[in-house]
Structure formats: C-alpha cells, structure tokens
Amino acid sequence: MKVKLKAKWKGLTLAVFVCTILFSIGILNVSAESTIIKGPYLLYTGSNSAMSVLWQTSDNQPNTIKWGTDTNYSLGEKSVETYGSDNQHKIDLTDLQPATKYYYEVDGQAGSFVTAPAADATSVKFLSYGDSRTQPAYQEKVAALAREAYNADPSYQTLLLNSGDIASSDSESNWTAQYFMNDKTAYPALSALQAEVPMMGARGNHEGVGSVYEKYFPYPYVNDFYWSFDYGPVHISVMDEYADFKPGSAQYNWLINDLSTTTKPWKIVMGHQPAWGAGTHENNTDLQKYIHPILQQFGVPLYLNGHNHNYARAEVDGIEYLTSGGGGAPTYQVDPTWPNIVKADASYFLTEFDVKGDTMKVTSRRIDGTDIETITVKNTQTQLDISKLTMTPDKDTLQTASPESSIKLGLAAVDSKNANVDLAGAVVRYYTDKPDRLTIAGDGTVSLKNKPVFNESAQVWAEIYDGSKLVTSNKVTIKIENPDGLAESTLTSDRGSLSGDAKAKLSLSAKDNVGAAMDLSSATVSYKTSLENILSISADGTVTVKNAPVRTTAVTIQAAVTVGGITVDSNTVSIIVGPSAGEDAQVLVAPIKGQYDDTEEGADGTLDLESSDLEIVTEDSNQQILLRFAELAIPKGAKILDAYIQFSVDEPDNNVDPFDVNIYAEDVANSQLQDPPNVSSRVKTKDSVNWKDIPKWTVEHEAGPDQQTPNVASLVQDIVNKDEWVEGNTLGFILTGQGTRTAESFEGAGTHAEQIPQLHVIYQKADTTNPGNGGGDNGGGNGGGTTPPGNGGGTTPPDNGSGTTPPGNGGGTPVIPANPFKDVDSHYDWAKDAIAVLADKGIINGTSATAFEPGKQITRADFMEMLVRMLDLKADVTSNFSDVKANDYYYKALGIVKALGIANGTGDNKFNPREFISRQDMMVLMSRAMDVTGKLDLSGTTADLKGFKDTAKVAPYAVKAVEELVNAGIVKGSSSLLNPTGQATRAETAQMIYTLYLMLQEKGSL
C-alpha cells in the first residue's frame, strides 16, 4: 500500500468567545467586549518602515487601533472599517523606524512587533517552522518555543518563515480550527506569536488553490503565490511549487531575475517540497533538475522547505537543503540513507537563524528543549568583475551519424579595465535556443540530445553571475547535419474510419535531409498496427477489417520506409474501427491533468487529495471518487459515439468482490475545482452507467480492455448537449458503489503518463458550423478553437501594465462593425472596437455565438491562433511540438509558427499550449513574428523602459522584445508598470493584436 495523506474537511461554526486573558509572559490582552475572532496578526510586505495589522470580527463594525513605541500608544489612533464579506480589517502602519519595537492595541487586544532592520544591516535573526496543520496542540508547543526564543533574546522577535501546509485544506473551517483558534485560552502561545511576529509563508499542497490562504495573507505576490522580500542583509525568494517553474515559465524567469538583481549579500530560497529530503514524500526531481543549478549560479547557500513532517538536512554542491516540517502535523519517520542526507530527525521543532557578516548559524531545537543540531553556513558567493564574456567553439558542426560528435565551447572574460578574468571559480550556465536538440555539459561540451528530422542550426550562449550582475556571452551558431538521404516519411489515409467491408488507402511521401521531396518508387515499406488482429494492410497500402472489434476502437498505423539503406519510421495515423465508426468519426484521448482532479472521499467526509492510487471504490469505507478531465476538445453539438475511462492497475493483489460500481457524470457543463474540495456535494446526473462483475486486475500497470469502464457515451452526450458547453470545458465523473480494483492516480503515475486515468471519446462533429468560429473553415479542426475557461480576470480597463492604445489610424478611421458579443459591455468600452473588428475579420472567436468572455485569461495556443490569422501566416507543417496532437484545433497554427521559427517552445520540444500566456511572452512572439515576416521594422533601447518601475521583472530573453514594442507604441503600460509576468485577459489581448493590426494596415503590410 502506498503512502496516503489524509485531509479531513469538516464544517466548523464560528463562535464568539467572551473571555478575559492575561498572559504572564506576553502582552496579548483580550477585552470582555472584543468581537475579534481571528487575530490580530501581522503581515510584513517588505518595507522596514511599515507593518500591517490584520484581524477579523464577528460583526460589521469598525475597530479602533492605537500604536506607539510603548503601551501609551502615543504615535497614532485610527478607526478601521471592515472590508470583504467576512468582516476583515487591515491597517498599514507606515513611517516607522527600522529595527524598532512598537506596541499596538485593537478592540482591547494588544500586541507588538519589531520593524525590519536597516537596509545596510549586516546581522539579523529570525525563526522558522513548517507543516503546522492538523494538530494545533503540537503547534502550540512549537509556538511556545518561538516565544521563549525572543523573550530570552529580543533580537529574534523579527519574522517567522513557514514553508507551507499551514492548515489541512483551503477552507475556512480548517484555518479556524488549526491556525486562528477562537479559544485563545487553549492556545495562548500561538495566539501571542501571531500578534507579535509576522508569518511569511509558502504555499503548500494543503493550501490547495489558495483562496483562503490569500484572503488572510495577501502578500505582494508577483504571480500565483511566488514573491520575494528583503530583511536586513538577507534576500528571501518564496517559490510557489504548485505553479510551473520549469525553464521558460514565468516563475523560472522571475527567480533568475530576482536572484540576479538583488544586492543583498545573503540569499535564501523557500518552497514547500524537498529537492533532497529524508522521506516519506519523494524528492522533487524538478527542483533538482531546474532550481538547484540556479541556486548554484547565484550563490544561494540554503534552500528551506517542508512537506515532510520531520527534520532533514542534505548537502549538495555546497548548498544546504533544510527540511523544517516539524510545526505540528503528524510526524513522518525519517530514512537517513536517502541521497545526500547528513542529518535526519523525526520530531516537532523550531529552527533559529542567526546571520552575522558572512556567517549564518542555524539551530534546530525540539519542543523538549534539546537541540537536533547547529550548523554554520558560510556565504561563499564568488565576486568577479566581468564586463565582457566571449564564447568560442572548437568547431561549428555536429554530425548526427556519429554518436561521439561533440563541440567544446571555450570562454574568456575581461573586466572593466580590460584585464583577463580567471573563470576557474565561476559558475557557468550554458543555454541553447534548441534545448530539445542539444545538451550542454557543465564543462561546455555540446552533444546531440535528439536528432532533428532535417538539417538544423541552433544557437548557444553562456551566462555568469559575477556577484552583482548577470553577464551574457555572445551567441554561437551550431550546425546539426544529418546523413544525405531519407529523413522523413509522412503517412496519410483517405479514410479515418472503417466498418463492414469498407477499405482505406494509405499514401506515403518522403523528404531528404535538406527537406527536398524524394521518389519512393524503389523504397521498401512495411506496416505495423497497434492492434494486429483487427486490421490487415496489403503491400500497396490497402487497409481492410480483419476482425471487427465489439467496441469501437482507434487503431494506429505506422510505416517503416527504407531508401538507400536508411530506414525511417513514419508518423502514425489513426483509423477508428467498429460499430460506431462512421466516416467522419474522430477520437479524443484526455488524461487527468492535475493532482486535484482525482479525489477520493470516504463515507465520513474524509478527502484524499493526493493519493498515490485510486481504490475503486472501497478502501476503509465505500468511497465516492471524482475524476475531472480538463480542456476537452469536443465541439459544441458533437454526437458522442463511444466513450470510456481507461485505468492502469496499481495493486494487483487488492481485488474485492462483489464489484458493483455506478458511474455518474457531474451534472454541470463545466466542472470546477471547489473550495473547500468536495465530491459528495457535487450534483450527479440522474442517469448512471453500471460497471460490475469485472475480472480481477492481476498484472501491475496493465491497461487493457479489462481496465476500461463500460460505454459512458450517454453521460458525455448529456453534458455536451448543455447550452453552456463549449470546446475546452472540463467534464467530471463520480464513481460510487462497492468492491475494489486499484488503479494508478495522477500522483502515483509520476512520470509514467501512460498510467494516468484517461478518458477516450469517439465523436462526430455537428453538421452545422460551431458558433464563434469566425465564419471560416477550420481546416478539419485545426483553425478556430475557442479559449478554454480561465481562472478569471477583471472587468476594468488594463491598468496593470498591459494597457495598449491604438495608434493614430493615419489612413482613416476603420469601419467598426456591430459587436456580436453581449458580454462586451460598458466595462470594456476601451476594447469593444478591437473585439468587434477582429471578430468581423475572423481573427478572434467568441466562446459561443454571443459570448466573448473578455475577462478570462488567454492560453498560449489561442494567442498564436490570433497572431497566425491576423498575419495570414503560411508554412508547410511537417512537424509539431510533442504536446500538440494532430486533432488539436490549434495544430496547424502551432505547426506554422514552429516551421517559421516564431515559436521555439518551452524546452523538450513542448509548447504548453493550454497554459495561460504571460504578457512578456506575447511581446516576444509578436516581435519574432515581425522579424520573420518583415512586416514591421522594430527597434528599441533600454531608454524606452526608463519610465517603468518593474523592468527588473522582465526576463532576460524578453528584454529586447519589450523594448521594441514599447518603442513602437504597441505596449504603453500603465501607472509606470509593464507587468511582464502577468497574464493578459482576452480583451487585453484583442486590444494588443488590434493595435498591431492598425499599424500594419497603415503601413500597407496586410
């Protein structure tokens, strides 16, 4: 049985307790008349001359707060009104002195705090614990230890770093029961700690989507839940490990920029999951792969995390990886034999940090007062003066025919006085614009990672952080050459489905290594299918049905083509075979995409959000299981021919009969994540499909017919028939009943994507045109998709740095057609002309015939669709990104931009089409499109960005594009902000595209 973490979600009615408390060791006092039910507590947002005080009351009345440097509270007094729907209060106390203790009182409750040190301070102390959820009695003991620390040494009354999982779930009831305790008499130390020390948190998995977390802790997040702040000589970067942090992502670029631009001598990065820990959660290999090199490059000596409820310290390349997860959650046993572990201890504990000059002493202390250990960390950041970095390769070509073919990159640097710089101690990072093609070792050796289809070239360069700035070398072009001859074979079929005596004819074409067409008259061809007993293929490529399957099935076919001794496998084509295989049938395969999309709920309401497997459906009790399949490319009006869920076996020895399961669909057009999460409260369809008396699952990871549900087409059809259904919606299923078969879950499958539960749907498109497709032909589904629902967006004009203003039309005012979308109302007056014109031209689509959803964010794929249509881009699509399927509506558009070199993807030949696009990525892609097409000459300099306050947030790869678009007037920003890492709404994107459209029209380039 794999480890499972349980999170109980139960309602808890908030009560107002009338009590009077005087802490003998503290300064927190509670008035008998107080209506405060949460807090007061503190929020530090990065300024050493300010502190925020927050609280929540049981009534909608203002409270008076007084503050001062002693308990006379002589500095100020103010009445603070409520905000929000839950009677919250917040005041920002400003104009304070650094490193000074202040006292405050609100509604009879008192607290104190010490402001952050001066900016030039060389020493500081602070505290840390994490994973405080579930057991407030143990967190109370850790909090008491923290208060003892700063009562004994007042210099510890600074801040508390909490590495996440503060409560069991993102619900009011759990935050009330596990952190903001009403009964302050039972948890005096924790209540006092909240009133005396600001808690700085990282989002953990139990914070879920983070709505309640953000409500009570509104830090100045950059995006999602990542941000950074300075505290004396220390710069702390807080990661959100439940948002994308892979290379090319907004968070990855932000972290590099954040660490490269801080002037603080000490850097600490905090997240929730361990890169190297001592169990029981697996180490996060993405942190090892992507974040560890960044910590090396920028001289970060310590990474702080939780997730594992224990203490663990690993040393990797001189960096301390410290697990500080002993804040109150049930402890996990440790395994000190895990990689790189130096010390491990299963206990509840507090960690104290003492920074002095270039030394940081770190002590972790158990709640019984005994020390786990004390370590001394040295700040060893290499200080170099580099003004120029030059890269020189020993040759310029990689030969794919030779596995040993490599290129060695040499580096030389000079300082500000033009003297040579010794790079022996420097941390060098190498980059390429084709990471799916090339691998560059730490010593600068370039080798082939994946062979390209045709001859290609790639650029490589290096970066060194010299202690004060990031220095980038020149770019070097590397040629990648294939052997002369056959390079690509393309297989097509004249039919997509077969039934009865029907036949399909396969056709082949080929290209050589430079992309020229080849004659296949002398080629040797062999065919293979995914299910050999269903189809027969003759030598001339004629396909017939050999054995008709009982269930309509998609069979893939691939050809192996040999010319001149070179054999190349073709692409695969799918032919749908079976009773429902009409000529226009299409197939969709959609896996579970997120950790909250497969959830088990026990009979007592206990939720398992991150189980390593799915017991269908009986575990400790008869469960209800939710399976959500997101962003389904099923068009409105589609006829569902067949549908089933494919599972993969996890525990072959866990079979319980009788097995009798009912499958329902969630009776909504677009399934949503809930806060708090829940399965039983979701509305089920009236009808269900029964799944019973199936064979035992006895082979681990088997995923065949025995692991398929019965046909659930009727349930899918019910949902697709709803008026609110649009392509890109999410469909949920709920499983109930009895008996057990154990399947892999999203979390349990890990990197084995084929083991994740998958929804298979065979459907026919409606005879009529899909509403909102711009009136044009979508080219078999590759042209005009609709944007999947995003997670919201404002209905106000863009004042967050993305604002764009159309330039003067020059050639006359364009005719503005009627706007077809009812939801583009007066809130969007600033964008309605752009939306109307672009919709009329077929450049943008609505999400239905009458809705545009202007406030929703836009995906990377849909932005490229708009750009391709507006510029009328054309190219031969011979390949695509690995995460773009042939039946995706955006296949053609992304294939075009890849072929033209406008989009290179996010690494590993992926584009992440369904992710929301950042504003800086939009600017980069627009800039590249102008460069490739020559439709508009763009230029810019650093001077163009001088008026903006957030230029430091622009990723290095995007700086040139941002300068160009600002200089051209396509992007103007607002309130001195560009907001480069933010995500644009559909309305903002339309306005930016429209601005470029007008410019190109005026220039005569369209």
Side-chain angles (χ1 to χ4, degrees):
M1 178 68 68
K2 297 186 179 179
V3 174
K4 297 188 172 187
L5 302 182
K6 297 289 184 180
K8 291 185 182 290
W9 310 73
K10 296 184 178 179
L12 182 64
T13 304
L14 295 178
V16 180
F17 290 85
V18 181
C19 56
T20 302
I21 304 171
L22 178 63
F23 295 128
S24 61
I25 61 171
I27 52 173
L28 186 76
N29 302 299
V30 182
S31 163
E33 292 79 27
S34 176
T35 61
I36 293 177
I37 57 176
K38 288 186 176 73
Y41 63 100
L42 303 168
L43 196 75
Y44 170 70
T45 57
S47 171
N48 61 9
S49 61
M51 186 69 76
S52 299
V53 184
L54 300 88
W55 65 96
Q56 185 183 45
T57 55
S58 59
D59 57 11
N60 185 21
Q61 298 296 322
N63 294 132
T64 298
I65 185 171
K66 303 179 291 183
W67 66 95
T69 55
D70 54 34
T71 53
N72 291 319
Y73 309 119
S74 58
L75 285 182
E77 181 174 327
K78 186 175 182 179
S79 178
V80 181
E81 300 285 344
T82 63
Y83 70 91
S85 59
D86 292 334
N87 301 326
Q88 291 175 263
H89 303 253
K90 179 175 181 285
I91 184 172
D92 300 321
L93 303 180
T94 58
D95 298 323
L96 308 178
Q97 295 300 310
T100 301
K101 186 167 185 175
Y102 291 87
Y103 299 82
Y104 66 91
E105 183 183 75
V106 55
D107 199 30
Q109 300 196 28
S112 67
F113 59 84
V114 177
T115 48
D120 59 356
T122 59
S123 63
V124 70
K125 296 179 181 180
F126 53 92
L127 306 168
S128 171
Y129 65 78
D131 293 272
S132 50
R133 66 174 178 86
T134 309
Q135 299 183 136
Y138 281 102
Q139 186 182 181
E140 169 72 9
K141 294 180 181 181
V142 180
L145 201 61
R147 297 200 73 238
E148 288 175 15
Y150 61 78
N151 283 327
D153 182 354
S155 57
Y156 273 112
Q157 189 180 356
T158 51
L159 54 78
L160 173 77
L161 300 181
N162 190 316
S163 50
D165 280 3
I166 302 162
S168 292
S169 72
D170 193 44
S171 67
E172 286 286 352
S173 59
N174 276 319
W175 275 86
T176 300
Q178 299 172 19
Y179 189 74
F180 293 114
M181 265 62 69
N182 283 337
D183 188 357
K184 293 181 171 64
T185 59
Y187 305 102
L190 181 56
S191 299
L193 180 65
Q194 293 169 3
E196 296 168 346
V197 175
M199 187 271 286
M200 319 298 287
R203 177 165 71 143
N205 53 296
H206 283 275
E207 270 69 66
V209 296
S211 57
V212 178
Y213 174 54
E214 184 175 14
K215 168 183 169 181
Y216 290 117
F217 291 93
Y219 304 119
Y221 304 107
V222 173
N223 207 351
D224 293 306
F225 291 91
Y226 57 86
W227 68 298
S228 64
F229 59 93
D230 292 337
Y231 204 81
V234 182
H235 179 78
I236 299 173
S237 305
V238 182
M239 288 186 61
D240 181 356
E241 289 164 1
Y242 300 93
D244 188 9
F245 59 82
K246 292 181 179 178
S249 68
Q251 183 170 197
Y252 180 89
N253 295 329
W254 161 80
L255 184 61
I256 289 176
N257 188 71
D258 182 64
L259 294 174
S260 67
T261 54
T262 181
T263 59
K264 296 299 179 181
W266 283 91
K267 306 178 187 75
I268 292 175
V269 175
M270 179 172 70
H272 183 62
Q273 297 186 32
W276 284 276
T280 57
H281 287 297
E282 296 293 329
N283 290 335
N284 188 317
T285 55
D286 283 346
L287 289 171
Q288 297 177 4
K289 184 176 180 181
Y290 305 125
I291 302 304
H292 178 69
I294 295 176
L295 306 189
Q296 286 181 283
Q297 182 180 17
F298 295 107
V300 178
L302 187 139
Y303 176 89
L304 183 66
N305 65 270
H307 202 36
N308 292 332
H309 306 165
N310 52 40
Y311 176 87
R313 179 171 62 87
E315 291 181 357
V316 185
D317 297 322
I319 300 172
E320 302 288 348
Y321 284 86
L322 191 66
T323 299
S324 184
T331 56
Y332 292 171
Q333 290 304 307
V334 295
D335 185 347
T337 67
W338 280 38
N340 301 305
I341 292 297
V342 178
K343 181 73 174 179
D345 187 83
S347 59
Y348 300 102
F349 64 94
L350 175 79
T351 299
E352 302 171 1
F353 294 82
D354 182 358
V355 177
K356 291 181 180 177
D358 63 357
T359 299
M360 176 167 61
K361 188 170 72 171
V362 184
T363 300
S364 295
R365 184 168 293 118
R366 303 180 188 92
I367 56 175
D368 64 4
T370 59
D371 289 353
I372 298 174
E373 68 170 342
T374 296
I375 64 170
T376 299
V377 181
K378 290 288 187 179
N379 195 1
T380 57
Q381 171 66 53
T382 301
Q383 298 293 326
L384 300 170
D385 172 17
I386 301 177
S387 64
K388 185 178 181 181
L389 185 63
T390 303
M391 174 184 285
T392 307
D394 63 352
K395 50 182 178 288
D396 66 356
T397 304
L398 286 173
Q399 299 291 345
T400 64
S402 173
E404 293 78 26
S405 182
S406 64
I407 294 173
K408 187 63 179 291
L409 304 174
L411 280 177
V414 294
D415 62 18
S416 55
K417 298 179 181 179
N418 210 34
N420 291 332
V421 177
D422 182 3
L423 298 178
V427 177
V428 182
R429 295 198 70 197
Y430 294 95
Y431 295 90
T432 175
D433 64 343
K434 299 284 181 69
D436 56 322
R437 292 280 177 256
L438 301 180
T439 296
I440 310 178
D443 65 354
T445 300
V446 183
S447 56
L448 188 65
K449 182 178 182 182
N450 292 304
K451 177 183 175 183
V453 175
F454 307 114
N455 295 352
E456 286 186 8
S457 63
Q459 289 190 316
V460 297
W461 65 96
E463 286 182 352
I464 294 178
Y465 180 66
D466 71 355
S468 62
K469 63 185 181 299
L470 198 60
V471 184
T472 304
S473 75
N474 57 305
K475 292 185 177 181
V476 170
T477 299
I478 303 294
K479 292 184 286 186
I480 309 170
E481 293 188 353
N482 290 322
D484 293 340
L486 180 64
E488 179 188 65
S489 60
T490 302
L491 181 66
T492 58
S493 172
D494 65 350
R495 293 178 63 95
S497 58
L498 286 177
S499 60
D501 296 329
K503 298 179 180 180
K505 186 62 183 294
L506 303 175
S507 300
L508 277 166
S509 60
K511 293 181 180 180
D512 65 13
N513 59 303
V514 295
M518 292 186 68
D519 179 13
L520 292 180
S521 59
S522 62
T524 301
V525 181
S526 62
Y527 297 98
K528 59 181 179 181
T529 68
S530 58
L531 297 170
E532 298 292 344
N533 62 329
I534 292 180
L535 296 180
S536 292
I537 308 174
S538 64
D540 67 351
T542 300
V543 185
T544 56
V545 178
K546 180 173 23 175
N547 295 301
V550 175
R551 165 174 247 156
T552 301
T553 303
V555 182
T556 60
I557 304 171
Q558 187 176 45
V561 181
T562 303
V563 178
I566 299 176
T567 300
V568 172
D569 288 334
S570 74
N571 59 301
T572 60
V573 296
S574 291
I575 295 181
I576 300 171
V577 186
S580 304
E583 188 170 346
D584 56 351
Q586 299 192 39
V587 64
L588 172 129
V589 179
I592 294 285
K593 292 186 176 181
Q595 65 174 349
Y596 301 121
D597 290 338
D598 54 354
T599 299
E600 297 166 302
E601 181 177 327
D604 63 351
T606 299
L607 282 185
D608 199 339
L609 295 174
E610 48 179 19
S611 173
S612 60
D613 55 25
L614 298 171
E615 267 84 10
I616 308 170
V617 289
T618 303
E619 191 176 10
D620 299 327
S621 62
N622 289 339
Q623 304 184 118
Q624 297 192 51
I625 297 177
L626 171 68
L627 302 171
R628 296 176 68 254
F629 297 94
E631 300 174 350
L632 298 180
I634 302 175
K636 190 174 182 65
K639 180 181 179 181
I640 310 303
L641 306 176
D642 194 8
Y644 61 90
I645 301 170
Q646 177 73 64
F647 294 100
S648 175
V649 179
D650 180 48
E651 295 176 356
D653 57 349
N654 189 18
N655 293 274
V656 178
D657 289 321
F659 183 83
D660 189 355
V661 172
N662 291 315
I663 305 172
Y664 299 84
E666 187 182 358
D667 199 14
V668 293
N670 189 24
S671 175
Q672 303 284 342
L673 291 173
Q674 292 184 347
D675 177 31
N678 195 279
V679 179
S680 57
S681 68
R682 293 175 183 260
V683 180
K684 305 181 186 73
T685 52
K686 179 180 179 182
D687 296 327
S688 63
V689 171
N690 187 243
W691 186 22
K692 67 184 298 184
D693 300 333
I694 66 173
K696 287 181 168 58
W697 294 359
T698 59
V699 179
E700 189 168 19
H701 304 320
E702 182 180 11
D706 288 346
Q707 289 75 45
Q708 294 172 0
T709 67
N711 191 348
V712 294
S714 60
L715 302 178
V716 177
Q717 190 71 70
D718 285 347
I719 305 306
V720 172
N721 285 349
K722 290 182 180 291
D723 291 341
E724 300 84 4
W725 176 268
V726 293
E727 183 174 339
N729 275 10
T730 296
L731 195 154
F733 293 93
I734 298 171
L735 281 60
T736 67
Q738 64 176 339
T740 304
R741 299 294 185 272
T742 306
E744 283 287 9
S745 66
F746 176 83
E747 294 86 348
T751 59
H752 300 284
E754 72 281 359
Q755 298 172 13
I756 297 172
Q758 298 174 337
L759 174 65
H760 292 241
V761 181
I762 297 172
Y763 66 93
Q764 291 173 325
K765 287 188 174 182
D767 293 334
T768 56
T769 303
N770 184 29
N773 66 358
D777 182 3
N778 284 343
N782 296 339
T786 58
T787 303
N791 56 8
T795 56
T796 57
D799 59 356
N800 53 3
S802 65
T804 56
T805 306
N809 334 29
T813 303
V815 177
I816 308 298
N819 199 312
F821 305 119
K822 295 180 180 178
D823 54 355
V824 182
D825 53 23
S826 59
H827 294 97
Y828 295 97
D829 281 346
W830 52 274
K832 67 179 182 180
D833 288 353
I835 295 169
V837 171
L838 297 182
D840 184 64
K841 300 293 182 185
I843 294 170
I844 62 174
N845 302 319
T847 56
S848 73
T850 58
F852 184 72
E853 296 189 87
K856 288 192 177 296
Q857 294 161 308
I858 190 162
T859 64
R860 292 167 58 82
D862 285 327
F863 175 73
M864 295 313 306
E865 281 274 347
M866 288 187 188
L867 198 60
V868 167
R869 291 186 201 136
M870 192 268 284
L871 297 174
D872 193 25
L873 299 177
K874 299 285 192 298
D876 290 332
V877 179
T878 59
S879 64
N880 217 315
F881 298 102
S882 62
D883 54 355
V884 177
K885 298 182 178 64
N887 61 346
D888 288 334
Y889 67 85
Y890 44 74
Y891 179 89
K892 185 175 181 181
L894 296 190
I896 288 172
V897 295
K898 183 181 183 186
L900 295 176
I902 294 172
N904 296 321
T906 59
D908 295 332
N909 195 32
K910 292 184 178 180
F911 188 75
N912 296 332
R914 294 288 190 175
E915 287 189 359
F916 297 124
I917 191 168
S918 68
R919 293 181 174 86
Q920 64 185 2
D921 281 356
M922 290 171 62
M923 297 181 215
V924 168
L925 292 167
M926 292 174 76
S927 172
R928 285 184 189 161
M930 295 302 97
D931 184 52
V932 168
T933 62
K935 290 180 180 290
L936 189 65
D937 292 328
L938 296 174
S939 62
T941 66
T942 54
D944 295 310
L945 306 185
K946 279 188 176 178
F948 298 103
K949 299 176 182 177
D950 57 352
T951 54
K953 294 180 181 178
V954 180
Y957 72 87
V959 171
K960 179 175 179 291
V962 175
E963 291 172 351
E964 291 174 345
L965 268 66
V966 169
N967 178 266
I970 298 170
V971 173
K972 293 184 178 294
S974 182
S975 301
S976 300
L977 295 173
L978 287 165
N979 195 18
T981 59
Q983 295 165 340
T985 63
R986 288 168 55 78
E988 293 166 356
T989 304
Q991 183 64 61
M992 187 181 291
I993 292 284
Y994 184 54
T995 303
L996 181 59
Y997 172 81
L998 292 176
M999 281 188 172
L1000 296 177
Q1001 265 206 333
E1002 184 177 10
K1003 189 174 181 288
S1005 298
L1006 288 180

